[in-house]
Amino acid sequence: MPSERIIMTPACVAEGAAWLAGQEPRFAAALELTGALPLRRRRDGFEPLLSAIVSQQVSVAAADAIWARLRTAKLTGPRKILGATEEELRACGLSRQKIRYARELAAARIRFGELRDAPLEEVIATLVAVPGIGRWTAEIYAMFSLGRADVFAPGDLALQEAVRLLFELDSRPSERILRDMAAAWSPWRAVAARLLWAYYRVAKQREGIR
């Protein structure tokens, strides 16, 4: 089993939120606005990674619409992706680039079961070896599909904007700066991410993550 904490239930999220609120007064204030944080656990495997690729560089609403069309067309499994024509995939809303990424993922034959027990950096390295999967996608997968409690996604624009607002910064922190900031939120960085996304939703009146 991985040495880091695994988020399994809402009680795990609540424990992490209470710890963060005790460490950082701004998190305590944000929790007053957001209320209880969502669990956001997903299944692991091919489908959530494909969903993450769909979500890249489009709005949450657009990603939801594309994913709904893929599901309706029953094009969310690796064999289905490899067997579909480009026209069928484009009809669901995928760009040519994302079609290539989806097919690369389907052909990669990742052993998803082994990732459940692998160290975090091994999980990240395995996933980013697939074209179309960057650090952000790998970190989101580790956070939501594997339940890792101490992973963060500082490249996420909604997290950057939430930090700018909550910490009253002049501009959005860069990925490097936000990664450094998040070190202080260990061992509950994944709960800090949930809190910041929830705060983003309250502050901006729209979702920052699917």
Side-chain angles (χ1 to χ4, degrees), residues 46-47 50-51 54 66-94 98-99 102-103 105-106:
F46 177 86
E47 192 169 299
L50 178 63
S51 178
V54 167
I66 295 168
W67 188 249
R69 289 194 288 269
L70 285 168
R71 294 198 65 156
T72 298
K74 295 182 170 56
L75 293 175
T76 59
R79 284 181 292 182
K80 293 288 189 178
I81 290 292
L82 291 173
T85 66
E86 182 165 325
E87 290 71 24
E88 288 172 325
L89 294 170
R90 283 183 65 81
C92 293
L94 291 181
K98 288 189 177 180
I99 290 170
R103 287 175 171 166
L105 175 62

Side-chain angles (χ1 to χ4, degrees), residues 48-49 52-53 56 124 127 132-142:
L49 271 174
I53 288 173
Q56 292 172 0
I124 301 296
L127 297 181
I133 297 181
R135 181 97 190 181
W136 176 87
T137 302
E139 287 167 338
I140 294 298
Y141 182 86

